[in-house]
Amino acid sequence: MNIRPSRFTPLDGAAPAGCGDCRDGQPLGFDFSFAFQPVVDLATRQIVSHEALVRGPAGEGAGSVLARVDEANRYRFDQACRVKAIKTAVALGLQTRLSINFLPNAVYKPELCIRTTIEAARVHGLPLQRIVFEVTEGERVEDGPWFAQILREYQRCGFMTAIDDFGAGYAGLRLLSDFQPDIVKIDMDLVRGIDTHRPRQAIVRHLARMAEDMRVSVIAEGIETPAERDCLLDLGVVLHQGWLYARPGFQALPAVDPAAWPAGPAR
């Protein structure tokens, strides 16, 4: 989805008409739910967070839901996703952090648009510091400073922030220079077959070192094989997510496959 900054009111301007649509409580016209996939720390052999992945009401793929999101309902959908992800995860007994994907082009004024999330977290008893807002690097962000301001406002409120699919787009380093998130998630295309691909190993090794210098945590996503796992450990990446550990659980918080842990301690 492309951002058109000219359609959004500046941070110090008046609220646009779109905010009224949300306040009026207009229904989306379709239902959706979530699947959850764990992120693990191989140093402690614990689940540290769960990512909320949008699904259809009967577990249909995300595409069946996102195909119904348009200019008219994008803001309401983004707000509804945040609330429902929190409500569902807490009802399932979440004890870790919760990662929620958000649409930056559905944010008019971050200091106003975040209020619904803060209220949902309060109502359901989820501390703000356990909520991570993820945005994919692939989102077209033509106004980098404006986008960085959204993320800074989220951090100021107490939320964590993450750049998802890092290395997949063209603006990742520019975004990282404007704003340092709490987490970057290495795109699965860099992870796939990394154990036999020296250029990918070099890229991930330097990404991990760069992130460490910036005090940013690194998660490798899309891990499917023990060889990928072990290679990433050798490169210094201990936070992992992928089918090797657990497939997304529809309306469930899946456990990690015991066979997925490495034989020895994390290196």
Side-chain angles (χ1 to χ4, degrees):
M1 301 178 185
N2 293 340
I3 285 183
R4 302 179 183 86
S6 62
R7 297 194 59 181
F8 295 93
T9 301
L11 290 174
D12 58 352
C19 291
D21 293 339
C22 185
R23 287 196 304 267
D24 293 341
Q26 296 296 321
L28 277 173
F30 60 90
D31 195 11
F32 63 91
S33 189
F34 285 95
F36 296 88
Q37 187 175 34
V39 174
V40 301
D41 184 341
L42 296 192
T44 62
R45 295 186 177 234
Q46 293 181 335
I47 296 174
V48 294
S49 66
H50 288 83
E51 181 179 359
L53 303 166
V54 70
R55 295 289 187 266
E60 301 92 336
S64 66
V65 178
L66 297 178
R68 306 187 68 173
V69 179
D70 55 29
E71 292 283 347
N73 63 21
R74 182 175 295 152
Y75 179 83
R76 282 175 283 135
F77 174 72
D78 186 63
Q79 293 289 304
C81 276
R82 302 169 184 219
V83 173
K84 194 162 192 174
I86 292 170
K87 179 180 179 180
T88 304
V90 171
L92 291 171
L94 180 82
Q95 297 297 317
T96 66
R97 293 196 296 262
L98 173 65
S99 290
I100 303 172
N101 294 276
F102 82 99
L103 304 174
N105 52 351
V107 175
Y108 294 100
K109 297 182 67 177
E111 67 271 30
L112 297 180
C113 297
I114 200 65
R115 291 179 182 175
T116 303
T117 311
I118 293 174
E119 178 62 13
R122 184 193 67 79
V123 168
H124 297 289
L126 183 61
L128 299 189
Q129 62 268 26
R130 282 174 50 198
I131 298 176
V132 184
F133 276 111
E134 293 190 20
V135 61
T136 177
E137 181 197 323
E139 290 281 356
R140 259 185 87 79
V141 181
E142 297 171 9
D143 187 345
W146 172 83
F147 181 44
Q149 179 65 22
I150 294 175
L151 297 175
R152 289 192 192 97
E153 181 65 20
Y154 286 6
Q155 280 191 336
R156 187 191 68 79
C157 291
F159 299 102
M160 298 182 70
T161 57
I163 300 176
D164 196 9
D165 299 332
F166 194 84
Y170 301 98
L173 291 177
R174 186 187 70 183
L175 177 58
L176 200 57
S177 69
D178 288 334
F179 173 80
Q180 292 75 56
D182 298 288
I183 300 164
V184 294
K185 300 182 74 174
I186 299 174
D187 182 65
M188 65 177 62
D189 285 342
L190 286 174
V191 169
R192 186 66 58 249
I194 191 172
D195 52 296
T196 60
H197 200 284
R198 290 179 63 85
R200 290 178 192 162
Q201 293 172 22
I203 291 171
V204 170
R205 181 184 299 110
H206 288 289
L207 279 177
R209 289 177 181 172
M210 178 178 63
E212 183 178 8
D213 287 343
M214 294 183 176
R215 298 183 180 180
V216 174
S217 297
V218 175
I219 296 173
E221 57 185 348
I223 299 167
E224 294 186 353
T225 69
E228 292 170 351
R229 173 200 66 200
D230 294 343
C231 179
L232 287 160
L233 279 174
D234 286 338
L235 295 173
V237 181
V238 299
L239 298 177
H240 292 191
Q241 180 179 3
W243 283 11
L244 175 66
Y245 302 98
R247 296 198 176 201
F250 180 60
Q251 297 180 354
L253 302 176
V256 174
D257 181 355
W261 300 115
R267 294 177 286 279

